[in-house]
Amino acid sequence: MEIDEDRSDFEKDEEEDDDSVSDLLRDRFRLSAISIAEYEAAKRNGMEISQPIVACIADLAFKYIGQLAKDLELFAHHAGRKSVTMADVIVSAHRNEHLVASSMSIFHINRLELRSS
């Protein structure tokens, strides 16, 4: 019985570590999003964006990126690879045509190259 209890405690500690890393990443992401939003709003329009709005947008973006990472992992696994390719990123972004076009132009990929990979 003690082994199961020790293992359970170990798993709990691991989960707590994962949660604290995730919280740290989310907080850093939020701070970066706030800095970018404040700079862009001031630079382009001379206006302010309220902190709660920026924090909400940052949290949504963080959740989206987390889901994107899971999708990319699944795409690579499905293809029998251990690493993610640019084709995986483009396929995962298929719901957002602007994102697909941007990512393809950044990496100079055309649709024919994507189909052949």
PDB file of all heavy atoms in Angstrom, residues 21-50:
ATOM      1  N   VAL A  21       4.734  25.587 -13.905  1.00  0.00           N
ATOM      2  CA  VAL A  21       5.409  25.983 -15.145  1.00  0.00           C
ATOM      3  C   VAL A  21       4.398  26.618 -16.094  1.00  0.00           C
ATOM      4  O   VAL A  21       4.664  27.653 -16.707  1.00  0.00           O
ATOM      5  CB  VAL A  21       6.109  24.775 -15.813  1.00  0.00           C
ATOM      6  CG1 VAL A  21       6.561  25.104 -17.217  1.00  0.00           C
ATOM      7  CG2 VAL A  21       7.291  24.325 -14.967  1.00  0.00           C
ATOM      8  N   SER A  22       3.235  26.018 -16.199  1.00  0.00           N
ATOM      9  CA  SER A  22       2.188  26.557 -17.064  1.00  0.00           C
ATOM     10  C   SER A  22       1.760  27.946 -16.588  1.00  0.00           C
ATOM     11  O   SER A  22       1.574  28.858 -17.403  1.00  0.00           O
ATOM     12  CB  SER A  22       0.984  25.617 -17.085  1.00  0.00           C
ATOM     13  OG  SER A  22      -0.006  26.107 -17.932  1.00  0.00           O
ATOM     14  N   ASP A  23       1.609  28.113 -15.291  1.00  0.00           N
ATOM     15  CA  ASP A  23       1.247  29.424 -14.738  1.00  0.00           C
ATOM     16  C   ASP A  23       2.323  30.462 -15.041  1.00  0.00           C
ATOM     17  O   ASP A  23       2.009  31.603 -15.403  1.00  0.00           O
ATOM     18  CB  ASP A  23       1.027  29.339 -13.227  1.00  0.00           C
ATOM     19  CG  ASP A  23      -0.232  28.583 -12.854  1.00  0.00           C
ATOM     20  OD1 ASP A  23      -1.086  28.347 -13.746  1.00  0.00           O
ATOM     21  OD2 ASP A  23      -0.361  28.216 -11.667  1.00  0.00           O
ATOM     22  N   LEU A  24       3.577  30.077 -14.905  1.00  0.00           N
ATOM     23  CA  LEU A  24       4.678  30.994 -15.175  1.00  0.00           C
ATOM     24  C   LEU A  24       4.682  31.398 -16.650  1.00  0.00           C
ATOM     25  O   LEU A  24       4.818  32.578 -16.984  1.00  0.00           O
ATOM     26  CB  LEU A  24       6.013  30.346 -14.796  1.00  0.00           C
ATOM     27  CG  LEU A  24       7.266  31.170 -15.049  1.00  0.00           C
ATOM     28  CD1 LEU A  24       7.256  32.442 -14.207  1.00  0.00           C
ATOM     29  CD2 LEU A  24       8.506  30.345 -14.759  1.00  0.00           C
ATOM     30  N   LEU A  25       4.517  30.424 -17.540  1.00  0.00           N
ATOM     31  CA  LEU A  25       4.473  30.719 -18.971  1.00  0.00           C
ATOM     32  C   LEU A  25       3.298  31.632 -19.310  1.00  0.00           C
ATOM     33  O   LEU A  25       3.431  32.576 -20.083  1.00  0.00           O
ATOM     34  CB  LEU A  25       4.384  29.434 -19.786  1.00  0.00           C
ATOM     35  CG  LEU A  25       5.642  28.586 -19.847  1.00  0.00           C
ATOM     36  CD1 LEU A  25       5.349  27.250 -20.511  1.00  0.00           C
ATOM     37  CD2 LEU A  25       6.749  29.318 -20.579  1.00  0.00           C
ATOM     38  N   ARG A  26       2.127  31.336 -18.736  1.00  0.00           N
ATOM     39  CA  ARG A  26       0.949  32.155 -18.985  1.00  0.00           C
ATOM     40  C   ARG A  26       1.172  33.592 -18.518  1.00  0.00           C
ATOM     41  O   ARG A  26       0.861  34.552 -19.227  1.00  0.00           O
ATOM     42  CB  ARG A  26      -0.281  31.563 -18.293  1.00  0.00           C
ATOM     43  CG  ARG A  26      -1.571  32.306 -18.660  1.00  0.00           C
ATOM     44  CD  ARG A  26      -2.735  31.992 -17.751  1.00  0.00           C
ATOM     45  NE  ARG A  26      -2.449  32.508 -16.418  1.00  0.00           N
ATOM     46  CZ  ARG A  26      -2.398  31.766 -15.320  1.00  0.00           C
ATOM     47  NH1 ARG A  26      -2.625  30.482 -15.367  1.00  0.00           N
ATOM     48  NH2 ARG A  26      -2.118  32.304 -14.142  1.00  0.00           N
ATOM     49  N   ASP A  27       1.771  33.754 -17.344  1.00  0.00           N
ATOM     50  CA  ASP A  27       2.032  35.099 -16.820  1.00  0.00           C
ATOM     51  C   ASP A  27       3.014  35.867 -17.686  1.00  0.00           C
ATOM     52  O   ASP A  27       2.824  37.048 -17.962  1.00  0.00           O
ATOM     53  CB  ASP A  27       2.532  35.019 -15.379  1.00  0.00           C
ATOM     54  CG  ASP A  27       1.470  34.544 -14.405  1.00  0.00           C
ATOM     55  OD1 ASP A  27       0.268  34.554 -14.775  1.00  0.00           O
ATOM     56  OD2 ASP A  27       1.833  34.148 -13.283  1.00  0.00           O
ATOM     57  N   ARG A  28       4.056  35.197 -18.133  1.00  0.00           N
ATOM     58  CA  ARG A  28       5.037  35.853 -19.010  1.00  0.00           C
ATOM     59  C   ARG A  28       4.414  36.205 -20.351  1.00  0.00           C
ATOM     60  O   ARG A  28       4.673  37.269 -20.912  1.00  0.00           O
ATOM     61  CB  ARG A  28       6.267  34.980 -19.194  1.00  0.00           C
ATOM     62  CG  ARG A  28       7.120  34.910 -17.951  1.00  0.00           C
ATOM     63  CD  ARG A  28       8.363  34.107 -18.167  1.00  0.00           C
ATOM     64  NE  ARG A  28       9.179  34.101 -16.966  1.00  0.00           N
ATOM     65  CZ  ARG A  28      10.305  33.448 -16.856  1.00  0.00           C
ATOM     66  NH1 ARG A  28      10.768  32.739 -17.875  1.00  0.00           N
ATOM     67  NH2 ARG A  28      10.990  33.483 -15.734  1.00  0.00           N
ATOM     68  N   PHE A  29       3.595  35.299 -20.858  1.00  0.00           N
ATOM     69  CA  PHE A  29       2.899  35.554 -22.119  1.00  0.00           C
ATOM     70  C   PHE A  29       1.984  36.764 -21.963  1.00  0.00           C
ATOM     71  O   PHE A  29       1.929  37.641 -22.829  1.00  0.00           O
ATOM     72  CB  PHE A  29       2.093  34.309 -22.518  1.00  0.00           C
ATOM     73  CG  PHE A  29       1.488  34.390 -23.883  1.00  0.00           C
ATOM     74  CD1 PHE A  29       2.199  33.968 -24.995  1.00  0.00           C
ATOM     75  CD2 PHE A  29       0.199  34.882 -24.063  1.00  0.00           C
ATOM     76  CE1 PHE A  29       1.637  34.026 -26.255  1.00  0.00           C
ATOM     77  CE2 PHE A  29      -0.365  34.948 -25.316  1.00  0.00           C
ATOM     78  CZ  PHE A  29       0.358  34.526 -26.418  1.00  0.00           C
ATOM     79  N   ARG A  30       1.260  36.817 -20.851  1.00  0.00           N
ATOM     80  CA  ARG A  30       0.350  37.931 -20.594  1.00  0.00           C
ATOM     81  C   ARG A  30       1.122  39.253 -20.516  1.00  0.00           C
ATOM     82  O   ARG A  30       0.692  40.248 -21.102  1.00  0.00           O
ATOM     83  CB  ARG A  30      -0.413  37.697 -19.294  1.00  0.00           C
ATOM     84  CG  ARG A  30      -1.412  38.817 -18.994  1.00  0.00           C
ATOM     85  CD  ARG A  30      -2.073  38.634 -17.667  1.00  0.00           C
ATOM     86  NE  ARG A  30      -3.127  37.632 -17.793  1.00  0.00           N
ATOM     87  CZ  ARG A  30      -3.841  37.190 -16.770  1.00  0.00           C
ATOM     88  NH1 ARG A  30      -3.596  37.627 -15.557  1.00  0.00           N
ATOM     89  NH2 ARG A  30      -4.792  36.309 -16.948  1.00  0.00           N
ATOM     90  N   LEU A  31       2.237  39.268 -19.821  1.00  0.00           N
ATOM     91  CA  LEU A  31       3.039  40.493 -19.730  1.00  0.00           C
ATOM     92  C   LEU A  31       3.537  40.934 -21.097  1.00  0.00           C
ATOM     93  O   LEU A  31       3.528  42.131 -21.419  1.00  0.00           O
ATOM     94  CB  LEU A  31       4.216  40.290 -18.771  1.00  0.00           C
ATOM     95  CG  LEU A  31       3.866  40.210 -17.296  1.00  0.00           C
ATOM     96  CD1 LEU A  31       5.103  39.848 -16.473  1.00  0.00           C
ATOM     97  CD2 LEU A  31       3.264  41.512 -16.809  1.00  0.00           C
ATOM     98  N   SER A  32       3.952  39.985 -21.910  1.00  0.00           N
ATOM     99  CA  SER A  32       4.401  40.320 -23.265  1.00  0.00           C
ATOM    100  C   SER A  32       3.251  40.871 -24.096  1.00  0.00           C
ATOM    101  O   SER A  32       3.418  41.855 -24.825  1.00  0.00           O
ATOM    102  CB  SER A  32       4.988  39.091 -23.963  1.00  0.00           C
ATOM    103  OG  SER A  32       6.141  38.658 -23.294  1.00  0.00           O
ATOM    104  N   ALA A  33       2.084  40.254 -23.996  1.00  0.00           N
ATOM    105  CA  ALA A  33       0.920  40.725 -24.748  1.00  0.00           C
ATOM    106  C   ALA A  33       0.523  42.131 -24.317  1.00  0.00           C
ATOM    107  O   ALA A  33       0.195  42.979 -25.160  1.00  0.00           O
ATOM    108  CB  ALA A  33      -0.253  39.764 -24.556  1.00  0.00           C
ATOM    109  N   ILE A  34       0.579  42.401 -23.032  1.00  0.00           N
ATOM    110  CA  ILE A  34       0.256  43.740 -22.526  1.00  0.00           C
ATOM    111  C   ILE A  34       1.244  44.763 -23.076  1.00  0.00           C
ATOM    112  O   ILE A  34       0.851  45.830 -23.550  1.00  0.00           O
ATOM    113  CB  ILE A  34       0.233  43.752 -20.980  1.00  0.00           C
ATOM    114  CG1 ILE A  34      -0.977  42.967 -20.474  1.00  0.00           C
ATOM    115  CG2 ILE A  34       0.222  45.179 -20.442  1.00  0.00           C
ATOM    116  CD1 ILE A  34      -0.962  42.680 -18.983  1.00  0.00           C
ATOM    117  N   SER A  35       2.523  44.425 -23.045  1.00  0.00           N
ATOM    118  CA  SER A  35       3.541  45.342 -23.567  1.00  0.00           C
ATOM    119  C   SER A  35       3.336  45.627 -25.048  1.00  0.00           C
ATOM    120  O   SER A  35       3.417  46.771 -25.498  1.00  0.00           O
ATOM    121  CB  SER A  35       4.944  44.773 -23.355  1.00  0.00           C
ATOM    122  OG  SER A  35       5.215  44.631 -21.995  1.00  0.00           O
ATOM    123  N   ILE A  36       3.058  44.581 -25.814  1.00  0.00           N
ATOM    124  CA  ILE A  36       2.842  44.747 -27.251  1.00  0.00           C
ATOM    125  C   ILE A  36       1.592  45.584 -27.509  1.00  0.00           C
ATOM    126  O   ILE A  36       1.605  46.508 -28.329  1.00  0.00           O
ATOM    127  CB  ILE A  36       2.744  43.380 -27.953  1.00  0.00           C
ATOM    128  CG1 ILE A  36       4.105  42.683 -27.913  1.00  0.00           C
ATOM    129  CG2 ILE A  36       2.249  43.527 -29.387  1.00  0.00           C
ATOM    130  CD1 ILE A  36       4.055  41.213 -28.297  1.00  0.00           C
ATOM    131  N   ALA A  37       0.509  45.269 -26.812  1.00  0.00           N
ATOM    132  CA  ALA A  37      -0.744  46.002 -27.013  1.00  0.00           C
ATOM    133  C   ALA A  37      -0.587  47.477 -26.661  1.00  0.00           C
ATOM    134  O   ALA A  37      -1.045  48.350 -27.400  1.00  0.00           O
ATOM    135  CB  ALA A  37      -1.862  45.379 -26.180  1.00  0.00           C
ATOM    136  N   GLU A  38       0.067  47.746 -25.538  1.00  0.00           N
ATOM    137  CA  GLU A  38       0.267  49.139 -25.147  1.00  0.00           C
ATOM    138  C   GLU A  38       1.127  49.880 -26.158  1.00  0.00           C
ATOM    139  O   GLU A  38       0.832  51.007 -26.536  1.00  0.00           O
ATOM    140  CB  GLU A  38       0.898  49.208 -23.758  1.00  0.00           C
ATOM    141  CG  GLU A  38      -0.063  48.852 -22.653  1.00  0.00           C
ATOM    142  CD  GLU A  38       0.598  48.810 -21.288  1.00  0.00           C
ATOM    143  OE1 GLU A  38       1.845  48.812 -21.209  1.00  0.00           O
ATOM    144  OE2 GLU A  38      -0.147  48.749 -20.289  1.00  0.00           O
ATOM    145  N   TYR A  39       2.174  49.251 -26.624  1.00  0.00           N
ATOM    146  CA  TYR A  39       3.070  49.882 -27.592  1.00  0.00           C
ATOM    147  C   TYR A  39       2.340  50.127 -28.909  1.00  0.00           C
ATOM    148  O   TYR A  39       2.396  51.225 -29.473  1.00  0.00           O
ATOM    149  CB  TYR A  39       4.305  49.009 -27.821  1.00  0.00           C
ATOM    150  CG  TYR A  39       5.197  49.540 -28.911  1.00  0.00           C
ATOM    151  CD1 TYR A  39       6.015  50.640 -28.686  1.00  0.00           C
ATOM    152  CD2 TYR A  39       5.207  48.952 -30.166  1.00  0.00           C
ATOM    153  CE1 TYR A  39       6.832  51.145 -29.682  1.00  0.00           C
ATOM    154  CE2 TYR A  39       6.011  49.437 -31.176  1.00  0.00           C
ATOM    155  CZ  TYR A  39       6.822  50.537 -30.936  1.00  0.00           C
ATOM    156  OH  TYR A  39       7.613  51.028 -31.936  1.00  0.00           O
ATOM    157  N   GLU A  40       1.649  49.107 -29.408  1.00  0.00           N
ATOM    158  CA  GLU A  40       0.958  49.235 -30.690  1.00  0.00           C
ATOM    159  C   GLU A  40      -0.174  50.251 -30.615  1.00  0.00           C
ATOM    160  O   GLU A  40      -0.366  51.037 -31.537  1.00  0.00           O
ATOM    161  CB  GLU A  40       0.423  47.880 -31.163  1.00  0.00           C
ATOM    162  CG  GLU A  40       1.499  46.929 -31.618  1.00  0.00           C
ATOM    163  CD  GLU A  40       2.247  47.419 -32.853  1.00  0.00           C
ATOM    164  OE1 GLU A  40       1.628  47.997 -33.756  1.00  0.00           O
ATOM    165  OE2 GLU A  40       3.473  47.205 -32.903  1.00  0.00           O
ATOM    166  N   ALA A  41      -0.954  50.218 -29.537  1.00  0.00           N
ATOM    167  CA  ALA A  41      -2.067  51.163 -29.400  1.00  0.00           C
ATOM    168  C   ALA A  41      -1.552  52.593 -29.319  1.00  0.00           C
ATOM    169  O   ALA A  41      -2.087  53.498 -29.969  1.00  0.00           O
ATOM    170  CB  ALA A  41      -2.898  50.827 -28.167  1.00  0.00           C
ATOM    171  N   ALA A  42      -0.507  52.792 -28.536  1.00  0.00           N
ATOM    172  CA  ALA A  42       0.056  54.142 -28.396  1.00  0.00           C
ATOM    173  C   ALA A  42       0.711  54.589 -29.694  1.00  0.00           C
ATOM    174  O   ALA A  42       0.573  55.737 -30.118  1.00  0.00           O
ATOM    175  CB  ALA A  42       1.061  54.172 -27.251  1.00  0.00           C
ATOM    176  N   LYS A  43       1.410  53.678 -30.326  1.00  0.00           N
ATOM    177  CA  LYS A  43       2.149  53.992 -31.543  1.00  0.00           C
ATOM    178  C   LYS A  43       1.208  54.328 -32.696  1.00  0.00           C
ATOM    179  O   LYS A  43       1.402  55.300 -33.407  1.00  0.00           O
ATOM    180  CB  LYS A  43       3.036  52.810 -31.923  1.00  0.00           C
ATOM    181  CG  LYS A  43       3.775  52.952 -33.227  1.00  0.00           C
ATOM    182  CD  LYS A  43       4.552  51.677 -33.521  1.00  0.00           C
ATOM    183  CE  LYS A  43       4.982  51.648 -34.969  1.00  0.00           C
ATOM    184  NZ  LYS A  43       5.532  50.351 -35.341  1.00  0.00           N
ATOM    185  N   ARG A  44       0.197  53.533 -32.887  1.00  0.00           N
ATOM    186  CA  ARG A  44      -0.667  53.691 -34.055  1.00  0.00           C
ATOM    187  C   ARG A  44      -1.809  54.670 -33.852  1.00  0.00           C
ATOM    188  O   ARG A  44      -2.162  55.402 -34.758  1.00  0.00           O
ATOM    189  CB  ARG A  44      -1.242  52.343 -34.468  1.00  0.00           C
ATOM    190  CG  ARG A  44      -0.186  51.427 -35.005  1.00  0.00           C
ATOM    191  CD  ARG A  44      -0.784  50.178 -35.554  1.00  0.00           C
ATOM    192  NE  ARG A  44       0.302  49.348 -36.097  1.00  0.00           N
ATOM    193  CZ  ARG A  44       0.126  48.188 -36.626  1.00  0.00           C
ATOM    194  NH1 ARG A  44      -1.082  47.681 -36.693  1.00  0.00           N
ATOM    195  NH2 ARG A  44       1.142  47.506 -37.088  1.00  0.00           N
ATOM    196  N   ASN A  45      -2.408  54.658 -32.687  1.00  0.00           N
ATOM    197  CA  ASN A  45      -3.629  55.429 -32.501  1.00  0.00           C
ATOM    198  C   ASN A  45      -3.595  56.430 -31.367  1.00  0.00           C
ATOM    199  O   ASN A  45      -4.555  57.170 -31.187  1.00  0.00           O
ATOM    200  CB  ASN A  45      -4.815  54.481 -32.273  1.00  0.00           C
ATOM    201  CG  ASN A  45      -4.996  53.517 -33.416  1.00  0.00           C
ATOM    202  OD1 ASN A  45      -4.852  53.894 -34.569  1.00  0.00           O
ATOM    203  ND2 ASN A  45      -5.306  52.275 -33.103  1.00  0.00           N
ATOM    204  N   GLY A  46      -2.553  56.418 -30.591  1.00  0.00           N
ATOM    205  CA  GLY A  46      -2.505  57.312 -29.444  1.00  0.00           C
ATOM    206  C   GLY A  46      -3.608  57.022 -28.439  1.00  0.00           C
ATOM    207  O   GLY A  46      -4.134  57.925 -27.816  1.00  0.00           O
ATOM    208  N   MET A  47      -3.969  55.757 -28.291  1.00  0.00           N
ATOM    209  CA  MET A  47      -5.037  55.400 -27.369  1.00  0.00           C
ATOM    210  C   MET A  47      -4.560  54.377 -26.350  1.00  0.00           C
ATOM    211  O   MET A  47      -3.501  53.793 -26.506  1.00  0.00           O
ATOM    212  CB  MET A  47      -6.246  54.848 -28.127  1.00  0.00           C
ATOM    213  CG  MET A  47      -5.947  53.608 -28.935  1.00  0.00           C
ATOM    214  SD  MET A  47      -7.283  53.073 -30.005  1.00  0.00           S
ATOM    215  CE  MET A  47      -8.439  52.406 -28.872  1.00  0.00           C
ATOM    216  N   GLU A  48      -5.357  54.182 -25.323  1.00  0.00           N
ATOM    217  CA  GLU A  48      -5.037  53.198 -24.299  1.00  0.00           C
ATOM    218  C   GLU A  48      -5.986  52.015 -24.407  1.00  0.00           C
ATOM    219  O   GLU A  48      -7.135  52.165 -24.801  1.00  0.00           O
ATOM    220  CB  GLU A  48      -5.182  53.820 -22.912  1.00  0.00           C
ATOM    221  CG  GLU A  48      -4.146  54.872 -22.608  1.00  0.00           C
ATOM    222  CD  GLU A  48      -4.296  55.432 -21.204  1.00  0.00           C
ATOM    223  OE1 GLU A  48      -4.785  54.699 -20.319  1.00  0.00           O
ATOM    224  OE2 GLU A  48      -3.934  56.593 -21.019  1.00  0.00           O
ATOM    225  N   ILE A  49      -5.491  50.843 -24.034  1.00  0.00           N
ATOM    226  CA  ILE A  49      -6.314  49.643 -23.972  1.00  0.00           C
ATOM    227  C   ILE A  49      -6.347  49.213 -22.514  1.00  0.00           C
ATOM    228  O   ILE A  49      -5.306  49.133 -21.867  1.00  0.00           O
ATOM    229  CB  ILE A  49      -5.728  48.517 -24.848  1.00  0.00           C
ATOM    230  CG1 ILE A  49      -5.651  48.965 -26.301  1.00  0.00           C
ATOM    231  CG2 ILE A  49      -6.559  47.256 -24.710  1.00  0.00           C
ATOM    232  CD1 ILE A  49      -4.990  47.953 -27.213  1.00  0.00           C
ATOM    233  N   SER A  50      -7.533  48.935 -22.010  1.00  0.00           N
ATOM    234  CA  SER A  50      -7.638  48.581 -20.594  1.00  0.00           C
ATOM    235  C   SER A  50      -6.946  47.249 -20.318  1.00  0.00           C
ATOM    236  O   SER A  50      -6.959  46.336 -21.137  1.00  0.00           O
ATOM    237  CB  SER A  50      -9.108  48.518 -20.159  1.00  0.00           C
ATOM    238  OG  SER A  50      -9.750  47.423 -20.743  1.00  0.00           O
TER     239      SER A  50
END
